[in-house]
Amino acid sequence: MARRENSEINAGSMADIAFLLLIFFLVTTTMDVDSGIARKLPEKTDEKPEVIIKEKNVLDIVVNRNNQLLVENEFVEVTDIKRLAMNFIDNGGGLSTAKDGKPAEPCDYCNGAKDPASSDHPTKAIISLQSDRGTTYGMYVSIQNEIEGAYNELRNKLALSKYKRSYKDLLDDYKDNGSESLKEKIDFLKDSYPQIISEPEPIK
């Protein structure tokens, strides 16, 4: 009787298939990238100049561990932040900050209520955002987006009034060609409504 030989499996083709599958998954798999909030931090300095800030020039926003919002000790919704911030920043109820020896002047481009109990000038308006250690990241980002939206809308209104173009269009054009004249316009809008946000230590 003939002796049967043990058949062997050719593993060479299996290795090729495994390699191709590995390449396929490496090419098609997306990698999660951590994203954050763009913020320009102040430069470190040894000097600590004493700065006197009027209470009316600070808009207090507090969010607790339950994601409840207080603006000037009144409960509000996230969707109210943008409107309240714009009214505060654009109030124009006083004088600007004197620079380079020039006298302080009233805001001639502000369209606010000029309430003497609110901010004097956009260059003096400070938004203070204090969160709790239990505040969710999503809530914190939503508030930041509303504040950012307030500044952008105010700059957009001024851009349309002065240059007949939106702030976003000016930014897009500057990214495309980097014109010096466009940079001057953008800098003027940013200086007119400087983004001044204070973030105290989170509540424990």
Side-chain angles (χ1 to χ4, degrees), residues 37 39 127-131 140 144 197-202:
I37 301 173
R39 282 285 175 268
I127 295 181
S128 172
L129 172 57
Q130 186 167 38
S131 59
Y140 176 80
Q144 287 280 0
I197 302 174
S198 169
E199 296 189 32
E201 280 289 320

Side-chain angles (χ1 to χ4, degrees), residues 19-184:
F19 180 72
L20 289 172
L21 286 172
L22 178 63
I23 296 296
F24 172 77
F25 286 119
L26 284 174
V27 171
T28 58
T29 302
T30 57
M31 305 295 288
D32 289 334
V33 179
D34 291 335
S35 58
I37 301 173
R39 282 285 175 268
K40 184 178 180 182
L41 298 176
E43 295 180 5
K44 185 178 180 181
T45 176
D46 295 330
E47 298 179 5
K48 294 182 179 178
E50 186 177 344
V51 180
I52 299 173
I53 300 172
K54 294 180 184 178
E55 188 176 343
K56 69 174 187 172
N57 284 327
V58 180
L59 181 69
D60 287 313
I61 302 175
V62 180
V63 54
N64 64 17
R65 64 178 58 250
N66 298 319
N67 291 335
Q68 293 173 314
L69 268 170
L70 278 173
V71 176
E72 297 296 319
N73 297 319
E74 291 186 12
F75 282 104
V76 299
E77 299 295 327
V78 178
T79 51
D80 298 324
I81 294 289
K82 183 177 177 180
R83 173 182 55 82
L84 293 171
M86 287 179 63
N87 291 342
F88 169 75
I89 298 164
D90 204 35
N91 180 60
L95 300 176
S96 65
T97 304
K99 293 181 181 179
D100 302 327
K102 296 179 181 178
E105 298 177 351
C107 183
D108 57 357
Y109 55 85
C110 291
N111 296 308
K114 302 196 182 328
D115 182 358
S118 188
S119 72
D120 289 327
H121 196 275
T123 59
K124 290 185 176 182
I126 302 170
I127 295 181
S128 172
L129 172 57
Q130 186 167 38
S131 59
D132 191 285
R133 293 194 185 277
T135 303
T136 63
Y137 184 72
M139 183 62 167
Y140 176 80
V141 171
S142 296
I143 298 169
Q144 287 280 0
N145 285 341
E146 292 297 313
I147 295 172
E148 184 90 21
Y151 281 106
N152 285 337
E153 187 161 332
L154 288 171
R155 291 170 180 170
N156 190 57
K157 287 182 178 179
L158 182 59
L160 289 171
S161 172
K162 190 172 180 64
Y163 306 120
K164 309 303 180 192
R165 301 198 61 199
S166 71
Y167 177 63
K168 184 180 182 302
D169 287 344
L170 291 173
L171 287 174
D172 290 341
D173 288 350
Y174 180 68
K175 287 177 183 176
D176 291 339
N177 57 38
S179 167
E180 190 63 32
S181 61
L182 283 173
K183 185 179 184 304
E184 289 177 3

